[in-house]
C-alpha cells in the first residue's frame, strides 16, 4: 500500500500540474484558429504560457484544483478499504505540498478542513472488472466550470432555439444551448461531456464520465458520432471565444454518451469543463502498487515552448489598435473614467484578494485595510508558508466574478474601491454601480494561475485568514499584472455584447438538422 500511496501522489501531482497530450493538441488547434492580434488570441497566448510555466514549476495549472474525483476499476480480491485510505493520505500530502489548494469546505459552517478531506471528499468510485490490473482515473474539475453544468428535461423551450423535442434534434439544441449559456464563465474554450437519458443524478454522472474519453476518439454509435461532429463544427460559430472575449475558439471537445431512461423522463445532462482540463489516468500493478502505464499520453506531444510567441501578450496587442495602460493603485475616479472596454491594463502595486466570504463580511463590517481607490482581486490563491514564516503565492488566477454580483456594487461604493479584477464578467447591478461611482471591471485570464503568480512579487500581508486560505484577504504586490477592461464606467460591457451577439447567432440553428 505504501507504493500505491506514492503512485496516487504522483497521479495527483501530474494531473494538477501537467495537461495530457490530447488536451494540449486541442489547445494548439484552437490557437491556430484564432486570429492574431485579437483579445482572444492574447488570452490563448497567456493560457499557453501558463501551461508552460506549470510544466516547468511543477505547480498547479489553475489555483482552483477542484473536487478530486477518482474512478477506479479493480480486479476481484483487491482491498478497496486500504486503497481509499492511501488515496486520502496522498490527497492530504499533495495539499500540504501546494500541489492542490485546500478546497474542502463544511457546507453548513463554511469551515475549510485545510487538507482537502471531508465528508464525500475526495470522490472515489470503485468498479470491479475481469482484467488483472487496476485502472485509476482522476479528474480535477474546478468550480467555475462545474457551475456551468446544465441539465435539460425534454421537451422544453430554449432561448434562441425554440422547442427541443424528445429526439436527436432536441438533444442537438440542448447541447448548443449549453455552450451558449456557459459564455466565458467556465473559462472557455471548453470541453463538454453529454449524458443522454438516465435520471437526474445518473444523467450527470454519464455526462462527467464522457470527460474521461480521449479528446480525439471516435464515438462508436453512428448517430452520436455525427452529432459530436456537428457540435464541434457549429458551436464555434457562436463567436463566444476564449474567456468570452469573442472569437473563433469556443469549444475544444464534445463527447456524448447514452443510457436508457424511464418513459416519463428524458434528461440531457451537460458537464462543462474549462480549458484547464485536468484529467489523467494510470494502470497499476495490484501486486506491487506501482504505475505500469500512464494514460492519455498517446500520439504527438505539443511543445508549447516552441509554439509560444515570446513577445508578452500585451506587447503583441500594442501592434494593433488596443490601448495598453499602466495603472498604479490607489486610482482616482478621473483615471478610472478614462478607461474604456477593450483597453488592456498593466497593474503594478498592491492589490487585495476578496471572494465570497470577504464580500459577505464587508457588507456589514469595516474593511481591515483602507480600500479607497484600491483594486479587489477575485482570487482564491494556493499559498505556502516558508520556514521563516513568509507566505508565497504558488498559483493565483482569477475566480468567477458573477458570484459577487449581489454585493459588488455596494462594496465599491461603501469603501471607494475603483476596480475589481476577476473573470467571466458581472451583471447589470455592478455595471450600474461602475457608472454611478466611477469604477471598472477587469477581466484576467481564467486559469492562468502560474502566469499571475509570477506577477506577484511579494505577499505584503493577510487579513481574515480565519476564513481559510482561499477566502482570506491577501495583500499582493504585483508587477505588470495584465487584464482587459471588459466593463467600464460609461455603461459598456463586453460580456453583454458577446452574449447578445451569440444569442443572435444561436438562432441560425433553430431549424431541424437531424430528422
Ligand atoms: S480554469 Fe477557470 S473554470 Fe477551470 S478551474 Fe480554473 S478558474 Fe475554474
Amino acid at each position: 500500500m505504501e507504493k500505491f500511496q506514492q503512485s496516487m501522489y504522483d497521479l495527483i501531482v501530474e494531473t494538477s500540474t501537467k495537461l495530457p497530450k490530447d488536451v494540449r493538441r486541442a489547445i494548439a488547434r484552437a490557437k491556430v484558429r484564432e486570429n492574431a492580434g485579437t483579445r482572444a488570441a492574447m488570452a490563448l497566448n497567456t493560457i499557453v504560457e501558463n501551461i508552460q510555466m506549470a510544466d516547468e514549476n511543477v505547480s498547479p495549472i489553475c489555483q482552483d484544483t477542484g473536487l478530486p474525483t477518482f474512478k477506479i476499476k479493480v480486479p476481484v480480491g483487491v482491498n478497496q478499504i486500504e486503497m481509499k485510505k492511501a488515496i486520502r493520505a496522498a490527497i492530504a500530502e499533495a495539499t500540504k505540498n501546494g500541489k492542490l489548494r485546500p478546497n474542502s469546505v463544511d457546507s453548513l459552517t463554511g469551515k475549510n478542513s485545510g487538507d482537502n478531506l471531508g465528508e464525500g471528499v475526495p470522490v472515489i468510485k470503485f468498479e470491479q472488472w475481469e482484467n488483472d490490473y487496476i485502472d485509476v482515473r482522476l479528474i480535477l474539475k474546478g468550480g467555475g466550470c462545474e457551475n456551468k453544468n446544465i441539465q435539460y428535461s425534454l421537451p422544453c423551450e430554449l432561448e434562441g432555439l425554440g422547442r427541443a423535442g424528445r429526439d436527436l434534434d432536441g438533444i442537438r439544441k440542448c447541447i448548443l444551448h449549453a455552450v451558449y449559456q456557459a459564455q466565458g464563465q467556465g473559462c472557455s474554450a471548453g470541453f463538454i461531456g453529454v449524458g443522454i437519458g438516465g435520471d437526474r443524478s445518473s444523467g450527470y454522472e454519464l455526462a462527467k464520465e464522457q470527460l474521461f474519453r480521449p479528446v480525439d476518439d471516435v464515438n462508436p454509435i453512428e448517430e452520436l458520432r455525427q452529432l459530436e461532429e456537428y457540435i464541434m463544427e457549429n458551436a464555434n460559430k457562436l463567436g463566444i471565444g476564449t474567456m468570452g472575449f469573442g472569437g473563433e475558439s469556443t469549444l475544444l471537445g464534445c463527447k456524448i454518451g447514452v443510457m436508457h431512461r424511464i418513459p416519463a423522463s428524458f434528461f440531457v445532462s451537460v458537464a462543462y469543463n474549462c480549458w484547464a482540463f485536468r484529467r489523467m489516468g494510470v494502470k497499476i500493478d495490484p501486486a506491487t502498487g506501482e504505475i505500469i502505464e500512464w494514460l492519455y499520453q498517446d500520439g504527438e506531444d505539443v511543445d508549447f515552448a516552441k509554439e509560444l510567441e515570446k513577445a508578452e501578450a500585451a506587447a503583441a496587442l500594442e501592434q494593433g489598435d488596443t490601448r495598453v495602460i499602466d495603472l498604479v493603485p490607489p486610482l482616482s475616479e478621473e483615471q478610472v473614467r478614462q478607461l474604456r472596454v477593450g483597453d488592456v491594463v498593466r497593474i503594478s502595486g498592491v492589490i487585495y484578494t476578496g471572494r465570497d466570504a470577504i464580500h459577505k463580511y464587508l457588507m456589514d463590517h469595516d474593511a481591515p485595510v483602507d480600500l479607497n481607490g484600491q483594486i479587489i482581486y477575485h482570487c482564491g490563491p494556493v499559498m505556502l508558508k516558508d520556514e521563516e514564516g513568509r507566505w508565497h503565492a504558488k498559483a493565483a488566477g482569477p475566480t468567477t466574478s458573477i458570484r459577487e454580483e449581489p454585493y459588488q456594487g455596494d462594496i465599491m461604493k461603501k469603501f471607494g474601491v475603483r476596480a475589481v479584477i476577476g473573470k467571466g464578467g458581472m451583471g447589470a447591478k455592478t455595471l450600474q454601480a461602475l457608472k454611478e461611482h466611477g469604477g471598472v471591471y477587469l477581466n484576467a485570464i481564467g486559469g492562468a494561475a502560474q502566469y499571475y503568480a509570477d506577477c506577484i512579487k511579494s505577499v505584503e500581508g493577510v487579513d481574515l485568514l480565519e476564513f481559510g486560505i482561499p477566502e482570506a484577504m491577501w495583500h499582493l504586490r504585483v508587477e505588470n499584472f495584465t487584464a482587459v477592461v471588459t466593463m467600464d464606467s460609461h455603461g459598456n460591457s463586453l460580456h453583454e455584447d458577446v452574449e447578445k451577439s451569440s444569442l443572435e447567432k444561436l438562432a441560425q440553428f433553430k431549424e431541424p438538422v437531424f430528422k
Side-chain angles (χ1 to χ4, degrees):
M1 269 308 148
E2 211 175 290
K3 201 70 214 162
F4 178 72
Q5 186 176 319
Q6 180 61 43
S7 298
M8 290 302 94
Y9 180 83
D10 293 345
L11 173 63
I12 295 161
V13 173
E14 190 78 1
T15 310
S16 176
T17 62
K18 209 162 185 210
L19 289 180
K21 281 187 188 171
D22 59 337
V23 174
R24 286 168 186 258
R25 287 194 292 268
I27 293 173
R29 285 194 291 270
K31 208 166 165 293
V32 170
R33 239 188 346 254
E34 210 49 82
N35 297 320
T38 57
R39 284 184 291 266
M42 180 207 78
L44 268 168
N45 279 344
T46 308
I47 285 170
V48 165
E49 202 172 331
N50 185 73
I51 295 168
Q52 187 68 24
M53 290 167 85
D55 283 352
E56 285 164 10
N57 304 339
V58 196
S59 283
I61 295 162
C62 176
Q63 77 289 337
D64 185 355
T65 52
L67 176 68
T69 302
F70 291 84
K71 292 217 143 206
I72 307 176
K73 291 182 178 150
V74 291
V76 178
V78 168
N79 189 332
Q80 297 177 14
I81 298 169
E82 290 303 315
M83 284 174 76
K84 231 178 192 175
K85 281 189 202 155
I87 290 173
R88 289 173 69 86
I91 286 278
E93 195 190 345
T95 311
K96 195 169 112 223
N97 295 341
K99 307 299 181 190
L100 293 177
R101 184 176 73 179
N103 245 7
S104 172
V105 173
D106 183 306
S107 295
L108 296 181
T109 65
K111 194 171 177 328
N112 193 315
S113 69
D115 57 6
N116 259 315
L117 302 177
E119 200 54 51
V121 181
V123 176
I124 307 173
K125 290 183 178 153
F126 286 100
E127 200 184 305
Q128 272 190 342
W129 69 355
E130 290 187 350
N131 290 329
D132 60 358
Y133 63 90
I134 301 170
D135 179 298
V136 186
R137 316 243 170 168
L138 168 63
I139 187 165
L140 301 172
K141 188 169 183 291
C145 57
E146 183 67 14
N147 293 347
K148 296 319 289 183
N149 290 359
I150 189 164
Q151 191 167 59
Y152 302 89
S153 175
L154 297 182
C156 63
E157 282 295 318
L158 296 172
E159 206 183 354
L161 291 165
R163 194 178 62 246
R166 290 183 155 196
D167 52 23
L168 202 57
D169 207 67
I171 296 164
R172 172 190 73 89
K173 287 186 177 180
C174 292
I175 302 173
L176 285 172
H177 186 268
V179 177
Y180 157 74
Q181 62 85 40
Q183 291 289 305
Q185 288 174 8
C187 288
S188 55
F191 299 80
I192 51 171
V194 181
I196 304 168
D199 64 5
R200 287 208 183 267
S201 62
S202 63
Y204 263 134
E205 192 147 329
L206 180 65
K208 204 161 181 181
E209 181 79 40
Q210 301 310 304
L211 295 175
F212 284 104
R213 281 173 51 195
V215 175
D216 25 34
D217 75 352
V218 177
N219 200 312
I221 302 172
E222 180 53 18
E223 297 99 300
L224 298 187
R225 184 197 67 73
Q226 284 178 22
L227 185 54
E228 285 177 3
E229 207 175 283
Y230 170 90
I231 295 292
M232 286 309 296
E233 198 183 314
N234 292 293
N236 285 319
K237 293 180 186 160
L238 294 177
I240 295 165
T242 305
M243 290 300 125
F245 287 170
E248 310 301 316
S249 297
T250 302
L251 195 64
L252 302 175
C254 171
K255 301 287 156 191
I256 309 171
V258 64
M259 63 179 10
H260 281 205
R261 59 183 173 83
I262 56 171
S265 304
F266 197 131
F267 295 111
V268 176
S269 313
V270 182
Y272 189 95
N273 206 106
C274 53
W275 67 263
F277 187 14
R278 291 153 294 170
R279 63 106 171 82
M280 199 64 94
V282 285
K283 287 183 183 174
I284 301 264
D285 180 342
T288 64
E290 281 177 25
I291 295 173
I292 43 183
E293 190 183 328
W294 285 89
L295 305 171
Y296 305 110
Q297 299 296 25
D298 294 340
E300 192 197 338
D301 199 4
V302 178
D303 184 353
F304 281 128
K306 269 194 206 149
E307 287 232 338
L308 202 61
E309 283 91 344
K310 289 289 175 204
E312 213 191 15
L317 271 173
E318 266 172 325
Q319 293 161 10
D321 297 336
T322 309
R323 297 195 302 169
V324 181
I325 296 159
D326 288 306
L327 294 179
V328 179
L331 309 174
S332 66
E333 180 178 349
E334 194 195 349
Q335 251 180 312
V336 165
R337 288 209 184 267
Q338 280 168 9
L339 297 172
R340 299 268 172 183
V341 161
D343 290 343
V344 170
V345 297
R346 275 188 305 228
I347 303 161
S348 297
V350 177
I351 61 175
Y352 299 91
T353 66
R355 40 181 276 163
D356 310 61
I358 295 286
H359 280 77
K360 187 165 179 286
Y361 175 89
L362 290 178
M363 286 301 279
D364 30 45
H365 294 84
D366 281 339
V369 291
D370 181 5
L371 288 173
N372 196 21
Q374 300 297 345
I375 302 174
I376 288 184
Y377 182 23
H378 296 159
C379 169
V382 177
M383 305 295 285
L384 272 192
K385 211 182 215 177
D386 66 19
E387 282 163 5
E388 279 112 53
R390 279 192 304 260
W391 286 102
H392 300 276
K394 303 305 286 180
T399 191
T400 310
S401 300
I402 196 72
R403 298 196 307 272
E404 317 315 336
E405 180 68 5
Y407 312 114
Q408 197 65 75
D410 295 334
I411 284 171
M412 290 184 85
K413 288 180 189 168
K414 181 175 170 189
F415 296 101
V417 174
R418 288 288 166 208
V420 287
I421 312 169
K423 62 136 175 127
M426 303 196 73
K429 195 174 166 216
T430 303
L431 190 61
Q432 184 60 24
L434 297 179
K435 206 168 155 186
E436 286 166 13
H437 164 69
V440 277
Y441 176 81
L442 308 171
N443 204 119
I445 310 307
Q450 290 307 308
Y451 177 84
Y452 288 115
D454 194 52
C455 298
I456 299 170
K457 299 307 167 193
S458 62
V459 179
E460 307 265 295
V462 58
D463 287 299
L464 302 168
L465 194 51
E466 59 270 31
F467 292 154
I469 285 178
E471 296 284 349
M473 179 182 269
W474 297 94
H475 312 181
L476 306 174
R477 181 166 293 281
V478 299
E479 244 175 60
N480 292 329
F481 184 111
T482 306
V484 181
V485 178
T486 53
M487 294 165 71
D488 65 22
S489 63
H490 309 282
N492 304 309
S493 165
L494 178 69
H495 309 283
E496 239 178 53
D497 295 349
V498 171
E499 188 168 344
K500 210 166 139 215
S501 70
S502 58
L503 181 60
E504 281 163 19
K505 288 176 183 146
L506 189 65
Q508 69 182 295
F509 302 112
K510 202 170 176 177
E511 293 311 314
V513 174
F514 297 99
K515 308 276 185 225

